[in-house]
Amino acid sequence: MSATVMASPSVPPSSNTVSYNLFLIPSHAVNKTVSTISNQLQQQQLSSLYSQGFLPHITLYLTEYPTKNLNLLKQQAQQLASQWHRFDLTLDHIQRTKGNWLMLDVNNTPELQRLADTTAIMVAPLRTMDPKIPTWVSHYPEKLAAFQRYGSPNVFMNFEPHITLLPQTEPQKLTQFMTDYGDQFQPVHFKALGIGIAAVNSNGQAKAEIASYSFPK
């Protein structure tokens, strides 16, 4: 099987492939937390993805697909959501990556891992077989190997659930933010409510859902 998560480049409308993100829809506690962090980042003159209108989300599987497969992708996502249920998760800590991105890490659980694995297995057959390699992957040899095998860097053993707060950013400002706020972050509990689909930009980010499917209560 194959899979993808995080930042596959999107492509021009004239192309016949698009990067679609299948992501976990979180409860309101996440938006509230990300909004607070966004305000803290603003104090360091950093414009968060949230402040630019991007959706807080937890990627389950992201890769490039032929545009003609969107309806099939929706059907698979709807089927998967109908077979799942709402479950509890925790925003664990704020992490600065080796590439100077800023992430809000989600504590992985057996259920979340199982959902991500199942998502990848179900929809990977619909993907294009030659997706473009995201530039950030070069910092992580193990993720490069996963991408080459599954069409995605963050799948199966390499699945690391998170919410992206900032793409690559000035190191000095990140250092100050982590000192002032990031290192003091306290865990936040929330619920996973469903699965969404969105077309994404080159950083794997989206401003609007194409479709969303709620888990049965």
Side-chain angles (χ1 to χ4, degrees), residues 18-80:
V18 174
S19 291
Y20 292 121
N21 191 343
L22 270 71
F23 58 90
L24 193 68
I25 300 172
S27 58
H28 180 68
V30 168
N31 278 54
K32 184 177 178 182
T33 301
V34 173
S35 177
T36 297
I37 297 170
S38 178
N39 290 335
Q40 294 168 345
L41 287 166
Q42 188 63 47
Q43 295 181 40
Q44 305 294 336
Q45 289 76 53
L46 291 170
S47 179
S48 71
L49 290 167
Y50 182 81
S51 72
Q52 299 171 52
F54 290 98
L55 298 172
H57 66 276
I58 299 151
T59 297
L60 296 170
Y61 180 76
L62 186 161
T63 193
E64 291 179 31
Y65 299 86
T67 52
K68 63 184 176 65
N69 284 351
L70 178 57
N71 284 336
L72 290 171
L73 191 63
K74 290 179 180 178
Q75 291 171 19
Q76 294 285 57
Q78 184 174 27
Q79 179 182 343
L80 179 59

Side-chain angles (χ1 to χ4, degrees), residues 123-190:
V123 305
L126 301 175
R127 73 179 180 90
T128 182
M129 291 298 110
D130 57 348
K132 300 174 187 68
I133 298 176
T135 54
W136 66 267
V137 174
S138 61
H139 293 283
Y140 303 89
E142 71 283 1
K143 290 183 181 291
L144 178 59
F147 186 92
Q148 290 169 337
R149 181 172 180 182
Y150 302 115
S152 163
N154 292 333
V155 291
F156 302 114
M157 290 180 64
N158 287 298
F159 178 59
E160 294 176 315
H162 64 274
I163 294 168
T164 305
L165 299 168
L166 285 172
Q168 190 170 37
T169 304
E170 298 172 59
Q172 298 89 342
K173 290 184 177 180
L174 281 185
T175 297
Q176 192 61 52
F177 167 78
M178 290 302 295
T179 299
D180 292 348
Y181 299 105
D183 292 335
Q184 283 77 49
F185 181 80
Q186 296 297 309
V188 174
H189 304 292
F190 68 99

Side-chain angles (χ1 to χ4, degrees), residues 89-160:
L89 289 169
T90 302
L91 299 173
D92 196 40
H93 65 282
I94 296 175
Q95 177 192 188
R96 173 184 180 173
T97 73
K98 286 186 285 187
N100 289 313
W101 291 50
L102 197 66
M103 309 293 194
L104 180 53
D105 286 352
V106 177
N107 183 39
N108 200 3
T109 65
E111 185 156 34
L112 178 55
Q113 182 73 54
R114 191 166 71 253
L115 176 60
D117 292 350
T118 305
T119 301
I121 290 166
M122 285 184 70
V123 305
L126 301 175
R127 73 179 180 90
T128 182
M129 291 298 110
D130 57 348
K132 300 174 187 68
I133 298 176
T135 54
W136 66 267
V137 174
S138 61
H139 293 283
Y140 303 89
E142 71 283 1
K143 290 183 181 291
L144 178 59
F147 186 92
Q148 290 169 337
R149 181 172 180 182
Y150 302 115
S152 163
N154 292 333
V155 291
F156 302 114
M157 290 180 64
N158 287 298
F159 178 59
E160 294 176 315

